[in-house]
Structures are given as C-alpha cells and as structure tokens.
Amino acid sequence: MSDDLLIDEPPVRRNWFSRRFGSRWSGGADRGRLWRFVKWVAIVLLVVIVLYYPVGMLLTHKINDDPDFAAPPVSPGASQAVAVAAALMDREVNQTDWPANDPFFMPGWALDNMPNFQIGIRDAVKRFALELQDEIGRNRGTSAMDADLQAAAGSLNYRPDVWVWDPANQLMPTSTTEEQYRQGIRGLVAYNTRLAQGKAAFERRADNLLSTLDRIGKDLGAASDRTGRQIDGESGSWMDFYADDVFYQNKGLLYADALILRDLGKDFADILKEKGAQNIWDRMVTSMMEGSQLSPWIVINGRPDALMQPNHLAAQGFYLIRARAQLEELNDVLIK
C-alpha cells in the first residue's frame, strides 16, 4: 500500500461517559441514546420533586382534636390539669411532627393549618404554666417560684419556628423548638411528681382559680379581637389566605383550654362545689370544646350576612365570645 494513503489518526478524546461506559457512547447514535438517558433522568427527578411536597404534606399533616383526650390518672396529691397539659405537649412534640420550624426542603414547610393548630395548643399550655409559676404553684403567692415550673414556663415561651440554625439571630447552631418544649414537658412532669410526694405547692384557693380564669379570659379576648380584625379586613374575599391561619390557631387554643380547664375543674372540685359553680364550669368547657371541633374543608371568610358564602371565622368567634362570657359569669360566682 502506498505511503500516500497512510493518514495519521488524531487521538481519541473521550469524555467522562466514554471513559466510564466505553465506546458505545462515542458515535452519533450513542450520543442520541445519551441525550435520551439524560432527558429521562430529568423527567424522573421532576416527577419526584413534584410529588415530594404533596405526598410529604399528606403524610405529615395531622390535626388531633380528640375531645376525649386525657392523661393517665395521677397519684393522690398531684394535679390532673398539669398532667393533661404535659401530655398534650408530649403528643404534639414527641408523637407528632412539629412542622412549624421545618426548613424549606422538608414537606412540612408548606403546611400552615397544622402548625397554627399546634401553636394554639402551645399558647394555652404556656399560659397555664405561667399561672402555675406565678400563682397556683406558690404558697400564698409570696414564696419563691418553683424551679421546675420556672423552667417549664421559660422553655414553653420559646419561639415555635426555630430549627437547628436560626440565621436571623445567630450564625451558630442553636436549640430547636422541639428541644426547648421537651424541657418544658419535663419541668411539668417533674413538678407533678414532686407534688404527689408533698414536696411542691398547689394552692387550691378560689383567688388562684380566679386569677387563672382571668388570664385565660384575656387570651380568649385577644383571639376574639384577632378574629374580628380578620373579618373586618377581609370578609367577602374568596382569596383570604390568612383566614385559615387565624381559624386554626384559635382552634388549638380553644381545644387545649377546654382540656386543661376540664381537668382543672377536677383539681378544684371542692371550691366549685362550695361556690355552686360546677354547672357553669361544665358549660364553659363545653363551649370551648364545641368551638374547637369546627373543621371546615376550606376556611372561608365570607360576608357575615351572605346567603351562600359562609364565614367560618364568625361561627368560631361565637364560641370564643360565649366561652369568655361564661368565664366572666364564673368570676362573679367565685368572687362571692
């Protein structure tokens, strides 16, 4: 063969796929297969991403408004109300997800009804812990604060949306919401254990009960005011994206208050019997629980006088106002 026909072949430059998978990726047809492979991978990733949030949200979402929820019976001397407050927080923090502090890459981040319901529960338990710290858990209100109650109240006052990293306040890792609330639960449980042993105070006096009811009534008043502002500002709009936030936070507050007060009535049964207030107490708890059981498929903030368009906030607001009125009626009875 003539040397003129000899042609120097350029060196073969293989890309990563060629080096990895061999010569089958080097030709035009193989490049077409490579492109189809990449395209299918992209499609699969897109489907996974599209399904990740909806499926993850469905698996995470849980609003537990069981009206019969109760803590196990406590030992003599301990408080049933403290036990149910601790059990409520344990259920929401340890037995259920807490999506209020989920980062954007977790599906719970896209939820809003469940987090607001849980925050409402936390608000009620936090208020009760503060009343225990300041009034019920102190001898005549003049002794030093109980260390366990002080720890519980402080921990439960922690922000509900703190993940392991909170760049708005600090660059270093920090305590998560769940960690702080677990400390609060441990404080309540430790206090109740000591109470059963006769090593802690629980002043079953009418003035302590009055103080607690007054503070809870103020919280219900704030919730009613928040509801009224939402109705006044956005009623009649089908695009009110904040109505459900208000609704579910109120729902959690009413639910937890109903359970705590139901069991606080057991702790203060002698006072209620002495004052003849048991029937009013039961009606008040029933009003709160009925308000907490409203569960519309979609929360609509329609005009209060609309024929076809409901206003779920107004319906819930009725129970808030009625419960607060019954609280005031109880105050009048207990103060005599």
Side-chain angles (χ1 to χ4, degrees), residues 1-8:
M1 183 179 291
S2 171
D3 291 341
D4 295 337
L5 297 178
L6 295 176
I7 301 174
D8 291 335

Side-chain angles (χ1 to χ4, degrees), residues 236-253:
S237 171
W238 285 87
M239 303 299 288
D240 183 358
F241 296 111
Y242 296 101
D244 58 339
D245 298 344
V246 174
F247 182 91
Y248 278 94
Q249 189 168 349
N250 290 345
K251 179 182 172 75
L253 180 72

Side-chain angles (χ1 to χ4, degrees), residues 6-26:
L6 295 176
I7 301 174
D8 291 335
E9 293 289 340
V12 176
R13 298 182 181 274
R14 293 186 175 181
N15 56 27
W16 180 85
F17 286 98
S18 297
R19 293 195 305 272
R20 176 70 175 171
F21 298 106
S23 61
R24 63 181 182 275
W25 296 101
S26 59

Side-chain angles (χ1 to χ4, degrees), residues 217-265:
K218 286 183 170 63
D219 285 349
L220 293 177
S224 180
D225 182 64
R226 181 171 60 242
T227 301
R229 290 198 306 271
Q230 193 67 28
I231 292 173
D232 293 340
E234 299 292 339
S235 66
S237 171
W238 285 87
M239 303 299 288
D240 183 358
F241 296 111
Y242 296 101
D244 58 339
D245 298 344
V246 174
F247 182 91
Y248 278 94
Q249 189 168 349
N250 290 345
K251 179 182 172 75
L253 180 72
L254 281 167
Y255 175 69
D257 275 341
L259 293 178
I260 291 170
L261 289 172
R262 178 198 68 191
D263 288 357
L264 193 65

Side-chain angles (χ1 to χ4, degrees), residues 179-222:
E179 290 170 347
Q180 289 291 323
Y181 291 173
R182 288 182 187 118
Q183 290 183 25
I185 295 166
R186 287 193 292 269
L188 290 175
V189 171
Y191 163 75
N192 221 18
T193 300
R194 290 172 40 245
L195 189 58
Q197 298 169 348
K199 298 177 180 179
F202 189 89
E203 293 291 298
R204 291 172 168 86
R205 303 196 319 268
D207 58 332
N208 279 341
L209 190 56
L210 276 166
S211 174
T212 301
L213 293 177
D214 181 64
R215 298 292 181 85
I216 291 175
K218 286 183 170 63
D219 285 349
L220 293 177

Side-chain angles (χ1 to χ4, degrees), residues 45-287:
L45 287 175
L46 180 62
V47 169
V48 169
I49 292 171
V50 168
L51 292 178
Y52 173 70
Y53 280 99
V55 173
M57 290 166 66
L58 285 172
L59 294 175
T60 302
H61 181 77
K62 184 177 182 180
I63 293 177
N64 188 344
D65 58 0
D66 177 14
D68 298 320
F69 178 80
V74 297
S75 302
S79 164
Q80 196 66 48
V82 172
V84 80
L88 264 176
M89 289 303 297
D90 178 72
R91 187 190 74 182
E92 297 303 320
V93 174
N94 295 322
Q95 302 172 36
T96 312
D97 290 324
W98 184 271
N101 67 340
D102 279 355
F104 72 92
F105 52 82
M106 296 178 67
W109 171 81
L111 294 171
D112 60 350
N113 292 346
M114 178 184 176
N116 278 293
F117 175 73
Q118 291 180 313
I119 290 170
I121 290 176
R122 188 290 307 252
D123 289 345
V125 175
K126 177 186 72 172
R127 165 58 62 198
F128 182 51
L130 286 169
E131 288 307 301
L132 288 169
Q133 171 194 270
D134 294 340
E135 299 291 341
I136 299 176
R138 300 174 69 181
N139 291 317
R140 294 289 171 182
T142 58
S143 63
M145 291 182 182
D146 186 278
D148 288 325
L149 291 178
Q150 197 169 6
S155 296
L156 292 169
N157 197 41
Y158 198 69
R159 275 174 42 206
D161 59 350
V162 179
W163 190 51
V164 293
W165 187 49
D166 186 23
N169 293 299
Q170 62 183 52
L171 297 179
M172 298 299 292
T174 186
S175 295
T176 65
T177 292
E178 293 95 330
E179 290 170 347
Q180 289 291 323
Y181 291 173
R182 288 182 187 118
Q183 290 183 25
I185 295 166
R186 287 193 292 269
L188 290 175
V189 171
Y191 163 75
N192 221 18
T193 300
R194 290 172 40 245
L195 189 58
Q197 298 169 348
K199 298 177 180 179
F202 189 89
E203 293 291 298
R204 291 172 168 86
R205 303 196 319 268
D207 58 332
N208 279 341
L209 190 56
L210 276 166
S211 174
T212 301
L213 293 177
D214 181 64
R215 298 292 181 85
I216 291 175
K218 286 183 170 63
D219 285 349
L220 293 177
S224 180
D225 182 64
R226 181 171 60 242
T227 301
R229 290 198 306 271
Q230 193 67 28
I231 292 173
D232 293 340
E234 299 292 339
S235 66
S237 171
W238 285 87
M239 303 299 288
D240 183 358
F241 296 111
Y242 296 101
D244 58 339
D245 298 344
V246 174
F247 182 91
Y248 278 94
Q249 189 168 349
N250 290 345
K251 179 182 172 75
L253 180 72
L254 281 167
Y255 175 69
D257 275 341
L259 293 178
I260 291 170
L261 289 172
R262 178 198 68 191
D263 288 357
L264 193 65
K266 300 172 184 176
D267 293 334
F268 283 83
D270 291 342
I271 296 293
L272 296 180
K273 182 178 179 180
E274 177 188 336
K275 299 289 185 178
Q278 188 65 59
N279 289 336
I280 303 173
W281 186 278
D282 292 341
R283 290 200 302 271
M284 172 193 67
V285 171
T286 298
S287 292

